[in-house]
Amino acid sequence: MRVAVDALFRDAVSERFWHETQQIVDLPDGGLEVTLQVGELREVANWVLSMGAHARVLGPKKLRKMVRDDLRLALVQYDS
């Protein structure tokens, strides 16, 4: 999976060891991109959701859809 994180969450993500397959690349905007090989996407989706607008799933499509669907369901809670 690949996730882009903005500069606000950069330190919180880069200072922690997430997985033995992790690769972290600096982005021109001050953020970073994290790449991991994981089997369970639900945990990653929850992690991405915990960062709100400060993280964006770049892949795989299944994870992007999972996060997008969760966000849509959450938004319904505020549409009354």
Side-chain angles (χ1 to χ4, degrees):
M1 61 114 249
R2 291 176 40 233
V3 175
V5 179
D6 71 14
L8 186 65
F9 275 73
R10 174 192 174 79
D11 290 343
V13 171
S14 66
E15 292 174 354
R16 182 168 174 194
F17 179 77
W18 297 97
H19 194 267
E20 63 233 12
T21 62
Q22 79 184 35
Q23 296 177 343
I24 297 177
V25 177
D26 293 327
L27 297 175
D29 65 359
L32 52 85
E33 182 180 312
V34 181
T35 303
L36 305 169
Q37 294 178 13
V38 296
E40 178 53 47
L41 294 179
R42 173 47 53 197
E43 286 184 41
V44 177
N46 291 340
W47 175 61
V48 169
L49 290 165
S50 75
M51 291 184 275
H54 302 285
R56 182 170 50 100
V57 175
L58 304 173
K61 289 180 183 180
K62 182 177 180 179
L63 178 59
R64 284 180 62 92
K65 182 182 182 323
M66 189 180 292
V67 170
R68 185 176 53 244
D69 290 349
D70 285 352
L71 288 169
R72 284 186 177 136
L73 288 171
L75 187 58
V76 168
Q77 302 296 322
Y78 297 93
D79 281 343
S80 55

